[in-house]
Amino acid sequence: MMPSPAPFTRALAALLLALALAACAHVPGMGPKAQVWASSMDGARKLERQADLAPGDAAGAVLTLDPGKTDQTMVGFGAAMTDASAQLFQTALSPAQRKALFAELFGRQGLGLNFLRVPIGASDFSARHYSLDDVPPGQSDPDLTHFSMAEPQRFQIPALQAAKRVNPGLVLMASPWSAPAWMKDSQSLIKGRLRRDAYGAYAAYFTRYLSEMRRAGLPVRYVSVQNEPQFEPENYPGMRMTPADRAAFVATALGPALAGSGTEILEWDHNWDHPEEPLAVLADPAAAPYVAGVAWHCYGGDPRVMGQVRAAHPGKQVFFSECSGGEWSPNWGEAMGWMFDNLIVAPVRAGSKGTILWNLALDPAHGPHLGGCGDCRGVVTIDPATGTVTRNLEYYVLGHASRFVRRGAVRIDSGDQLAGISHAAFRNRDGSLVLLARNGGKAEQRLAISLGDRAWSLTMPAGEIMTLIWPAAASKL
């Protein structure tokens, strides 16, 4: 019997393709083209596709991509599904409008957002202050008989389920703003500290929440111990937890309760300006084995500390878990550049597996909220009166990464930062390569992007953000 020609045909095709790529690699102007997507400092271009870039003679500052040198594997990019965001999605939009917006935010042909943060109980972006186990003042509930998911089931859970239908690979991180009031020394959701005798009940509160989320088809991959544990807000839920408090709670209660559950514990979930706090917890021999990594916020300090903490504990993961834009920074170009440099590029180069911004959606009055930030800006603004959706600069900053850097991508080496140029690069699982870059200077700059024995010449206007995408064939150069 004659052998099937299919294996021979496939082998011949592969050989011809390899020969063609090898030949192109040595012909000036030949080789894979790069797609270019750009956003300008003046907002005239917003994540717009430009002319493809062909290889050839290149001049300018050299940026070398090396797909053979890899670092962290990416989880993704996204924002927070706060109560405010979920309420707007579920009540301010018609079903058809919501379907279209979710396809745009979470779909592969849209932004592809795939990493969302979820408050456990109320944050300042909730219509009322609540926990998942509220009882009348003076009472307690150590057996959690009053535990209820009724509030998140109104808007948050349906919105998350709808997002997951669009993007089944959605990854969730959950964070509490406060333990139930009866567990705290303040007997209030506002201010106070968790009582030591409530550690067991609070760990059970976490496990009950995580179980209910799994039942809803929303498994939570990561959980932080406490949102912003160094801060006690005046007018919305919060809870101070010192490093010693967090280490003791994790070591004696939360860590054992979540061991083997599939949910990983993240430490800190607060600003860059106090790296000594997560370092103290990671130095605790009883707590550290239960801690998978460190999450960071943007509201103080220098993003370089993320890399310093990672260098001290290279086995721990890094995530960037909160930053909000707002009316305090109204200049489009300045805010866009700062966010791209500090919330996308700096975390990635420090080893972060993902970036999560704050509210996915807010209304034109910067709410709904009760206390807290009165001029924060969402990734999108939704007008409840009309259903009109406005895409804010956060939408485009996220999109430059989330639309092209897929879950499971690995960061590849792109060399040291160049004068005026911030950058980070990735290889997707399909072999395609992605470069994120911004010209932070005040003048146009030329960049020579080197990959193997090919180079691409790129001219970047002042303030410009660009994403370049090469097909999988480029990985073989």
Side-chain angles (χ1 to χ4, degrees):
M1 184 170 63
M2 293 291 292
S4 167
F8 172 76
T9 302
R10 287 195 295 268
L12 179 60
L15 176 61
L16 291 174
L17 175 60
L19 291 172
L21 286 172
C24 289
H26 297 283
V27 177
M30 295 295 288
K33 292 183 177 181
Q35 290 185 20
V36 181
W37 297 75
S39 293
S40 60
M41 190 168 184
D42 61 4
R45 290 182 299 282
K46 299 174 181 177
L47 198 55
E48 289 185 6
R49 187 166 179 180
Q50 310 297 297
D52 288 358
L53 206 61
D57 295 331
V62 177
L63 189 156
T64 301
L65 302 181
D66 187 348
K69 295 181 180 178
T70 61
D71 199 335
Q72 76 271 24
T73 299
M74 301 301 295
V75 172
F77 301 87
M81 185 68 82
T82 58
D83 286 334
S85 298
Q87 180 178 333
L88 287 167
F89 288 138
Q90 298 301 109
T91 65
L93 300 174
S94 69
Q97 289 173 319
R98 182 167 58 251
K99 182 178 180 180
L101 181 57
F102 275 31
E104 181 182 335
L105 291 175
F106 305 110
R108 284 293 298 267
Q109 302 307 312
L111 291 196
L113 301 181
N114 66 346
F115 193 18
L116 300 185
R117 186 166 176 241
V118 187
I120 303 174
S123 69
D124 45 330
F125 284 90
S126 300
R128 70 179 186 89
H129 296 161
Y130 69 94
S131 79
L132 303 181
D133 196 308
D134 291 328
V135 297
Q139 297 185 20
S140 63
D141 185 25
D143 296 325
L144 304 184
T145 57
H146 294 279
F147 184 95
S148 173
M149 294 287 285
E151 192 67 29
Q153 284 168 349
R154 292 179 64 209
F155 303 122
Q156 193 182 71
I157 285 176
L160 289 168
Q161 290 170 329
K164 190 164 186 180
R165 285 193 292 271
V166 176
N167 188 339
L170 200 66
V171 176
L172 301 182
M173 171 190 174
S175 306
W177 265 241
S178 174
W182 55 269
M183 296 186 187
K184 298 169 66 180
D185 58 11
S186 65
Q187 291 291 293
S188 171
L189 294 177
I190 298 175
K191 293 191 173 185
R193 294 170 65 172
L194 181 68
R195 298 196 323 270
R196 288 286 180 120
D197 62 359
Y199 278 12
Y202 196 35
Y205 178 91
F206 273 82
T207 59
R208 183 78 173 271
Y209 169 79
L210 296 170
S211 176
E212 293 294 331
M213 290 292 280
R214 282 193 296 272
R215 287 182 56 193
L218 299 167
V220 175
R221 174 81 171 273
Y222 304 99
V223 68
S224 68
V225 178
Q226 169 63 34
N227 173 71
E228 300 189 343
Q230 198 190 51
F231 180 45
E232 290 179 86
E234 295 282 346
N235 55 10
Y236 65 93
M239 187 169 73
R240 184 175 295 275
M241 292 188 81
T242 66
D245 292 337
R246 300 195 303 276
F249 176 57
V250 168
T252 64
L254 186 62
L258 298 189
S261 69
T263 299
E264 298 180 76
I265 298 172
L266 300 181
E267 160 58 13
W268 192 219
D269 212 3
H270 207 168
N271 296 333
W272 298 316
D273 54 357
H274 286 284
E276 73 279 1
E277 292 238 351
L279 285 171
V281 175
L282 293 176
D284 186 293
Y290 294 113
V291 176
V294 180
W296 299 90
H297 296 188
C298 75
Y299 308 113
D302 188 319
R304 287 176 293 186
V305 303
M306 295 182 288
Q308 295 165 9
V309 172
R310 186 193 188 205
H313 296 275
K316 303 301 183 182
Q317 302 173 70
V318 181
F319 291 97
F320 185 84
S321 57
E322 185 186 315
C323 193
S324 181
E327 297 311 311
W328 59 84
S329 182
N331 182 281
W332 182 282
E334 290 178 2
M336 180 184 73
W338 188 90
M339 285 192 165
F340 183 82
D341 286 352
N342 291 280
L343 310 185
I344 304 293
V345 173
V348 163
R349 291 182 68 92
S352 176
K353 293 185 170 187
T355 286
I356 304 175
L357 302 188
W358 191 208
N359 293 277
L360 265 169
L362 292 176
D363 64 24
H366 312 290
H369 73 99
L370 182 58
C373 182
D375 57 356
C376 281
R377 185 172 54 229
V379 173
V380 297
T381 299
I382 300 177
D383 189 339
T386 63
T388 301
V389 177
T390 302
R391 291 148 190 84
N392 297 319
L393 67 89
E394 291 78 8
Y395 175 100
Y396 299 101
V397 169
L398 278 174
H400 267 282
S402 64
R403 186 168 179 175
F404 310 105
V405 181
R406 304 297 186 184
R407 181 182 174 192
V410 295
R411 183 166 75 92
I412 65 172
D413 186 66
S414 55
D416 295 334
Q417 295 289 53
L418 302 172
I421 303 289
S422 59
H423 58 87
F426 310 84
R427 184 183 67 232
N428 285 317
R429 286 186 289 189
D430 65 2
S432 60
L433 304 180
V434 181
L435 172 66
L436 310 179
R438 184 179 85 94
N439 176 8
K442 297 184 181 299
E444 178 180 281
Q445 293 202 52
R446 292 194 67 188
L447 202 60
I449 302 168
S450 173
L451 175 61
D453 60 359
R454 298 283 81 189
W456 290 256
S457 183
L458 179 66
T459 299
M460 298 189 71
E464 195 92 351
I465 291 175
M466 289 185 170
T467 300
L468 283 75
I469 309 98
W470 287 265
S475 296
K476 300 178 172 60
L477 293 177

